[in-house]
Amino acid sequence: MTDQSVPKARTPADGNAPRSPRTPEGVSRRALLGTAGATGLVLGTAGAAAGYAAAPAQATPLTSLGADRAMFHGKHQPGITEGLQARGHLIAFDLTAKAGRKEAAALLRRWSQTAERLMAGEPVAHGDTDVARDAGPSSLTVTFGFGRSFFTRTGLEKQRPDALAPLPEFSSDRLDKARSNGDLWVQIGADDALVAFHALRAIQKDAGSAARVRWQMNGFNRSPGATARPMTARNLMGQIDGTRNPKPDASDFDRRIFVPGSGQPAWMANGSYAVVRRIRMLLDDWEQLSVAEQENVIGRRKSDGAPLSGGTETTAMDLEKTDKAGDLVVPVNAHARVTRPDQNGGAAMLRRPFSYHDGIASDGVPDAGLLFICWQADPLRGFVPVQRKLDRGDALSQFVRHEASGLFAVPGGAAKGEYVGQRLLEG
């Protein structure tokens, strides 16, 4: 529940005239969502509304939700600075025994071509399943990254970035190695569940004999338009979560989140590093706390997200304010205090998570929590120092458990005619 949010606003298309579900022309690119609310370090946005009807609804013109389109080609890969999507899939692959650099290059070429078509609302080139036939792009993004082991498998160890050094162990880690790391990582997000699933199946089928699935996870966020007014989303613990994410219009945003164009290695220019953590929320324990106790754990009011020191959600937190008894109003181990950049040497990351719920575990408690994804120019200056600080004393730690982990190098965006990772694989 670190105080951070992705400040992009959706740019809907004109929904007054009927629109062909496969015609993205004229659709404005989905801009940064200032009210979507990305997660804090260990918690994330959630809260999807669901419903059903006795009969299918009558056909209506494609809404702005379906018409929203993100662009595949660009300086950065999609799925980093766009606003949170309602549905998401994370999937990691390992190259097969006979696959090397040549096969990896062919795979990334196929994946990039498929992602470009799907993000434009078009079917895949061959063997489309028609799952998303009636939908528009729905803000679909597909993002690709390389794990540390990828460079060994492809003989590219000399091109492996220093920033891909293994993450240190943390006290809250209960990691399942089978659901951690991987040679290749793909992030899929969309505002429609069928569009997201369609992309997932296409990516999996494209892997062919070159790669096999290592692990796959499914997530969700609040659906666009679910609230009466745009607002920061709530997480599965019921807290407003995502008030203080780095803002793209800040002068130091690119420096914190993206590898510079002159950075090393050269193939990572304009790329970023993604830390991916599956974080279980111990909801039964959390829900036994009173609202006041929950607020002290977080350091913010549950009702509106305002700091306990007073004001509104966006009011600066007064870390020195005390009550009549002389105690700090924001407890010294409150999550929002511990994770602040000014309490961690300026360390900052762009949080862009999905919540998850995988049913009831064998012990009878919800298997639910956060698919935490954070972006930074260097994880040793972003995620690692903040997580170490949390290890030393965060009131929220007793209510969460880190069950899977991965670190991936996500190269910059592909230019027109290129595929993602081409400068690495053909350099």
Side-chain angles (χ1 to χ4, degrees), residues 84-105:
L84 299 175
Q85 295 121 313
R87 297 290 176 177
H89 302 291
L90 307 181
I91 184 167
F93 294 83
D94 286 334
L95 294 173
T96 55
K98 296 183 179 180
R101 180 174 176 177
K102 179 181 177 180
E103 290 75 16

Side-chain angles (χ1 to χ4, degrees), residues 133-157:
R133 182 182 181 88
D134 308 308
S138 301
S139 301
L140 175 69
T141 59
V142 186
T143 317
F144 304 103
F146 305 120
R148 181 177 176 83
S149 56
F150 176 83
F151 298 86
T152 302
R153 297 297 309 279
T154 56
L156 291 166
E157 292 95 335

Side-chain angles (χ1 to χ4, degrees), residues 7-366:
K8 275 198 171 182
R10 299 177 185 274
T11 308
D14 183 359
N16 296 324
R19 183 186 304 275
S20 167
R22 291 291 181 174
T23 306
E25 287 81 8
V27 178
S28 55
R29 181 176 179 179
R30 187 170 186 250
L32 282 169
L33 180 59
T35 57
T39 183
L41 183 62
V42 295
L43 293 183
T45 57
Y52 58 90
Q58 295 298 310
T60 57
L62 187 65
T63 65
S64 61
L65 186 150
D68 265 355
R69 176 184 174 186
M71 306 305 293
F72 177 75
H73 295 292
K75 183 178 181 180
H76 311 297
Q77 283 197 61
I80 301 176
T81 57
E82 285 83 3
L84 299 175
Q85 295 121 313
R87 297 290 176 177
H89 302 291
L90 307 181
I91 184 167
F93 294 83
D94 286 334
L95 294 173
T96 55
K98 296 183 179 180
R101 180 174 176 177
K102 179 181 177 180
E103 290 75 16
L107 174 58
L108 266 297
R109 187 181 296 110
R110 292 195 300 273
W111 275 352
S112 295
Q113 292 170 349
T114 293
E116 181 180 8
R117 292 182 66 90
L118 294 180
M119 286 175 57
E122 301 172 1
V124 298
H126 304 286
D128 193 274
T129 62
D130 284 341
V131 171
R133 182 182 181 88
D134 308 308
S138 301
S139 301
L140 175 69
T141 59
V142 186
T143 317
F144 304 103
F146 305 120
R148 181 177 176 83
S149 56
F150 176 83
F151 298 86
T152 302
R153 297 297 309 279
T154 56
L156 291 166
E157 292 95 335
K158 292 183 179 179
Q159 291 295 321
R160 183 165 56 203
D162 293 339
L164 268 186
L167 295 174
E169 295 182 0
F170 302 104
S171 63
S172 58
D173 285 355
R174 303 292 186 273
L175 302 183
D176 178 358
K177 292 183 179 180
R179 294 194 296 179
S180 298
N181 300 312
D183 294 344
L184 293 155
W185 174 70
V186 185
Q187 173 192 250
I188 296 168
D191 281 334
D192 179 78
L194 288 179
V195 169
F197 176 81
H198 182 236
L200 175 68
R201 286 292 294 141
I203 291 297
Q204 184 181 359
K205 289 167 65 178
D206 273 352
S209 61
R212 66 178 186 276
V213 174
R214 179 180 176 88
W215 55 260
Q216 193 250 314
M217 302 174 189
N218 310 310
F220 60 91
N221 284 304
R222 171 170 281 162
S223 297
T227 55
R229 60 179 176 81
M231 61 180 295
T232 310
R234 293 184 185 271
N235 58 47
L236 295 187
M237 289 180 165
Q239 301 286 149
I240 288 181
D241 186 1
T243 303
R244 287 177 53 88
N245 233 13
K247 306 295 189 292
D249 57 358
S251 60
D252 62 351
F253 180 83
D254 281 1
R255 178 179 62 81
R256 291 175 180 270
I257 307 305
F258 295 110
V259 177
S262 59
Q264 293 297 322
W267 66 267
M268 271 297 290
N270 303 311
S272 188
Y273 292 91
V275 174
V276 182
R277 310 277 280 185
R278 179 186 172 94
I279 303 175
R280 177 92 167 266
M281 295 178 179
L282 308 182
L283 294 178
D284 282 359
D285 294 339
W286 174 257
E287 291 163 4
Q288 290 180 9
L289 301 180
S290 67
V291 170
E293 289 171 329
Q294 291 177 355
E295 291 177 339
N296 280 329
V297 168
I298 302 303
R300 289 183 171 272
R301 292 200 299 257
K302 192 171 185 179
S303 61
D304 58 6
L308 296 184
S309 53
T312 65
E313 180 186 348
T314 57
T315 300
M317 183 175 290
D318 184 351
L319 300 180
E320 304 302 322
K321 186 174 181 178
T322 58
D323 58 20
K324 294 180 179 179
D327 297 322
L328 289 170
V329 173
V330 180
V332 68
N333 63 345
H335 186 72
R337 174 193 286 268
V338 174
T339 56
R340 287 171 58 95
D342 57 10
Q343 301 295 300
N344 294 280
M349 330 159 244
L350 181 67
R351 284 82 165 172
R352 196 177 182 279
F354 293 98
S355 294
Y356 76 88
H357 177 223
D358 288 342
I360 306 301
S362 58
D363 55 4
V365 300

